Amino acid sequence: MDDLKNIKKLSAFEFSSMLLDVAAKNKENKEVLNAGRGNPNWINTSARRAFFRLSKFAMKESESTFMKPQIAGYINSENIYSRFLEFLKEDKEEDIFLKKVVNYCIKNFNMDKDELISEFTNGCLGNNYPVPSRILKNTEKICFEFLRKNILFNEDTVGNTKLFATEGASAAMCYIFKTLKINGFLKKGDKIAINTPIFSPYFQIPHLHDYEIVEVDLDSKEENNWELTNDQLEILKDSSIKMLFMVNPSNPGARALKDNELNALKSLVENFRKDLIILSDDVYATFVDNFKSIYGVLPYNTILVYSYSKIFGTTGVRLGVVGINEHNILDDILKNYTSNKKSILKKRYSLISLNPDSLSFIDRLSADSRDVALSHTSGLSTPQQILMALFSLVSICDKKNSYIEECKKIVRKRYNNLYKGLGIKGYDGEENSKYYTILDIYKISEALYGKDFSEKLKQKADTTDFLYYLASQKGTVLIDAVGFKASPGTLRVSQANLPSESYIEIGKNILDMINSYKEEFENEK
Ligand SMILES: *Cc1c(COP(=O)(O)O)cnc(C)c1O
């Protein structure tokens, strides 16, 4: 019991690793099922195959300039496209893919063919610092098209968007917080609204900075289907709230904002809060049909963050982007700073710009990521950028978007199996990404056995007890959703990481747990 007390002090991620040890020795000797991890257990093959093939071509090109054994020179860009076509074989899967996507780019984006192949091959070799450091030229166009197609839902209304390629969405978050702070967007005592429950770094990072940020939790509720309600929007009218952090679709709630919520947010911003800065993390967007980003409706106010980690199974590669509109609130606020405030920042950015006052926020982001002084070495490694372009092209060049559709089917099947095991109905609304599930054990207990039972359960057992029971008795490892600021008694199941059939088992194990509490209470009588 002492153990359990100490356990209750651990963070969500530490706690789940401890649970794994307990699960390995579970009493019923069941297979360990760890559904705590958000890391997908599948990968995209086509872009990876293409990358290795492209790298082979890059080696061939470089080695044609051999100087000595083991030492080769730079590739020659002249006519490199035609040599690339000669290199490709008719019957090789990755060669067919490469030919298709390269020709798509040349035709649809008007890219120069030798320049594109040079960017790809040089990028694979990685023998130059990334230039431009924010993101490579053609890679930016390709990644934007991926976002436009999947995240903005083919809306052309947003105008020009600039991207900054980062080491995953995690690095994007760190960079954004840092640049916001340095540039005076967040000051001591400022408020930020957070649409909780949320991926915990969003409320942890602001507190790590040595100024007092006041956090306003919007506290979405399952009974409202995790929606942004009018009451929550009302809170945002308070002009001391400087920023709004959204994960959309949410983690752990797994819901995307619907049209009515997007419209309500849009009208709130336009009528009351033109000054609100929104950060939207759309990492799970590609798991929702007809997804629409906040960025698509409020491009001026919104910083977009996206990661390739989840859909393409690339958490080890580290691939993410920040998107900011060419017309954006951050640059306008910077422009209107007093000359005193400007002069402090001028000093910082004059290291890299002749006109530091007009350096855009996104360029500051890129420079700050290497503390300005090293900004000439900033930017995502070029092999990573080429991989990101190739992953994007998997979706862009396929009208049916079949890779992404298949990934959706994977998590949906697992979600349905979980509920099958639980013996209750899941939520099938289009906005449910089904990547995660929040299970409220008290609510499920009430639905199964009535209010008296669930009330008694509330007094006897909390989230930690449930997690401990499931691990030690059944070998099932889940995560505490309370750590994401969800309500007591909630657990997060990730549909990312286990075979489909395992989810039936997990559902049954949870049901067994509730039944065993029921038996226990009956025996007490
Ligand atoms: C997984 C996750 C991330 C991390 O993305 P990386 O690109 O792997 O760093 C960011 N935000 C949310 C909401 C996530 O769930």
Side-chain angles (χ1 to χ4, degrees):
M1 264 344 226
D2 242 17
D3 269 6
L4 209 54
K5 229 184 233 165
N6 283 331
I7 285 165
K8 290 186 180 184
K9 291 179 195 150
L10 300 174
S11 77
F13 289 98
E14 283 171 331
F15 182 55
S16 82
S17 96
M18 181 283 298
L19 285 180
L20 275 178
D21 296 338
V22 182
K25 296 171 269 181
N26 75 79
K27 294 203 182 86
E28 294 184 21
N29 218 355
K30 287 181 175 250
E31 183 193 358
V32 174
L33 298 175
N34 177 6
R37 301 187 62 197
N39 203 96
N41 68 346
W42 70 85
I43 65 165
N44 172 267
T45 57
S46 40
R48 282 176 170 88
R49 277 172 175 273
F51 177 77
F52 296 132
R53 190 73 180 136
L54 198 57
S55 298
K56 201 154 192 174
F57 173 69
M59 285 312 303
K60 187 172 180 235
E61 282 292 302
S62 177
E63 287 174 349
S64 74
T65 63
F66 250 131
M67 296 188 274
K68 284 184 178 167
Q70 297 188 66
I71 302 178
Y74 284 10
I75 61 164
N76 177 6
S77 300
E78 211 174 304
N79 294 325
I80 193 168
Y81 172 74
S82 63
R83 294 197 296 283
F84 178 65
L85 288 188
E86 277 165 35
F87 172 83
L88 298 177
K89 298 204 163 60
E90 295 288 331
D91 55 349
K92 234 178 150 60
E93 185 189 319
E94 48 269 53
D95 290 23
I96 296 166
F97 174 85
L98 275 170
K99 191 170 177 176
K100 179 176 90 175
V101 302
V102 162
N103 287 335
Y104 187 97
C105 289
I106 295 167
K107 186 161 167 257
N108 292 280
F109 308 141
N110 253 330
M111 289 177 182
D112 180 273
K113 44 191 195 255
D114 290 327
E115 188 191 88
L116 175 65
I117 301 300
S118 295
E119 181 171 316
F120 276 5
T121 46
N122 278 319
C124 287
L125 293 176
N127 55 346
N128 273 302
Y129 288 113
V131 178
S133 47
R134 190 163 55 72
I135 189 168
L136 301 177
K137 182 179 157 189
N138 293 297
T139 298
E140 181 174 29
K141 287 187 188 151
I142 294 167
C143 292
F144 177 71
E145 179 57 19
F146 173 82
L147 296 175
R148 198 186 63 81
K149 176 167 178 173
N150 291 289
I151 297 202
L152 312 176
F153 192 52
N154 287 331
E155 283 186 273
D156 293 304
T157 50
V158 299
N160 198 7
T161 304
K162 287 185 172 175
L163 302 181
F164 172 35
T166 59
E167 299 82 357
S170 306
M173 284 166 68
C174 297
Y175 296 153
I176 291 167
F177 281 115
K178 181 172 170 172
T179 297
L180 284 170
K181 186 186 173 188
I182 289 168
N183 285 276
F185 286 96
L186 288 174
K187 297 178 299 297
K188 190 172 163 175
D190 279 348
K191 291 184 190 159
I192 48 180
I194 305 181
N195 190 30
T196 48
I198 197 169
F199 186 53
S200 46
Y202 280 104
F203 52 79
Q204 291 163 339
I205 295 177
H207 288 296
L208 292 177
H209 289 272
D210 52 354
Y211 46 66
E212 296 139 51
I213 288 291
V214 182
E215 179 190 325
V216 181
D217 292 342
L218 293 186
D219 197 18
S220 290
K221 293 271 188 270
E222 187 178 8
E223 51 265 38
N224 300 326
N225 194 23
W226 308 109
E227 282 180 22
L228 262 186
T229 60
N230 288 336
D231 289 347
Q232 292 172 308
L233 291 173
E234 203 56 36
I235 295 172
L236 295 174
K237 285 185 183 170
D238 172 358
S239 63
S240 64
I241 294 176
K242 290 282 153 56
M243 286 191 73
L244 166 65
F245 295 167
M246 297 287 298
V247 173
N248 182 34
S250 52
N251 169 9
R255 298 290 200 281
L257 296 181
K258 291 189 290 196
D259 282 351
N260 60 317
E261 295 165 272
L262 287 167
N263 291 337
L265 182 62
K266 184 175 157 79
S267 102
L268 171 106
V269 168
E270 285 174 352
N271 293 315
F272 302 96
R273 291 304 314 273
K274 288 200 172 72
D275 58 329
L276 186 67
I277 301 167
I278 302 171
L279 191 164
S280 186
D281 176 337
D282 292 8
V283 167
Y284 299 99
T286 34
F287 290 93
V288 168
D289 292 338
N290 304 317
F291 177 80
K292 289 190 184 115
S293 173
I294 296 173
Y295 182 77
V297 294
L298 289 165
Y300 176 77
N301 297 75
T302 307
I303 304 172
L304 175 70
V305 172
Y306 183 73
S307 165
Y308 289 69
S309 282
K310 306 290 176 7
I311 193 89
F312 292 105
T314 60
T315 47
V317 191
R318 314 307 298 125
L319 301 178
V321 281
V322 180
I324 297 181
N325 203 267
E326 67 177 335
H327 302 293
N328 68 79
I329 186 168
L330 302 152
D331 289 341
D332 284 349
I333 292 174
L334 286 172
K335 255 180 239 154
N336 291 323
Y337 272 169
T338 59
S339 54
N340 186 29
K341 218 165 168 180
K342 270 186 185 162
S343 75
I344 299 167
L345 292 168
K346 199 171 195 153
K347 206 167 156 195
R348 178 180 181 87
Y349 297 111
S350 66
L351 292 176
I352 54 156
S353 171
L354 291 174
N355 198 354
D357 277 352
S358 55
L359 192 67
S360 66
F361 184 86
I362 199 161
D363 287 326
R364 293 177 193 220
L365 210 51
S366 171
D368 288 333
S369 73
R370 298 293 178 271
D371 283 336
V372 187
L374 288 162
S375 79
H376 63 291
T377 70
S378 66
L380 184 66
S381 101
T382 59
Q384 279 167 279
Q385 294 201 43
I386 305 313
L387 264 165
M388 195 153 77
L390 292 169
F391 284 121
S392 299
L393 287 164
V394 168
S395 161
I396 295 170
C397 300
D398 177 6
K399 266 213 181 84
K400 291 190 183 138
N401 222 356
S402 53
Y403 173 76
I404 291 193
E405 292 305 319
E406 285 305 319
C407 294
K408 287 179 188 164
K409 281 187 201 154
I410 292 174
V411 295
R412 287 171 188 179
K413 177 102 208 273
R414 294 172 183 181
Y415 177 91
N416 293 342
N417 279 353
L418 174 70
Y419 278 92
K420 205 187 265 176
L422 272 167
I424 55 178
K425 238 184 103 45
Y427 179 72
D428 281 331
E430 186 179 69
E431 72 279 16
N432 189 355
S433 73
K434 301 190 175 173
Y435 197 91
Y436 299 112
T437 314
I438 294 189
L439 293 176
D440 186 327
I441 301 301
Y442 301 136
K443 288 217 177 98
I444 296 171
S445 299
E446 184 176 331
L448 289 170
Y449 299 121
K451 196 149 182 91
D452 286 351
F453 172 66
S454 74
E455 286 302 318
K456 186 151 184 199
L457 188 59
K458 267 182 203 169
Q459 282 156 24
K460 292 272 180 170
D462 66 10
T463 323
T464 310
D465 299 310
F466 298 146
L467 291 171
Y468 196 79
Y469 179 96
L470 286 170
S472 61
Q473 187 74 28
K474 302 279 182 187
T476 287
V477 178
L478 304 179
I479 281 193
D480 167 11
V482 183
F484 298 94
K485 302 205 175 205
S487 57
T490 52
L491 310 179
R492 188 189 84 171
V493 184
S494 161
Q495 273 82 248
N497 208 265
L498 293 171
S500 276
E501 316 80 63
S502 301
Y503 288 90
I504 301 184
E505 191 63 22
I506 292 171
K508 282 184 183 158
N509 287 342
I510 296 169
L511 190 59
D512 278 358
M513 173 181 74
I514 296 173
N515 286 334
S516 96
Y517 279 112
K518 179 139 196 297
E519 244 171 67
E520 191 186 311
F521 297 171
E522 274 163 6
N523 290 339
E524 281 170 13
K525 277 179 194 161

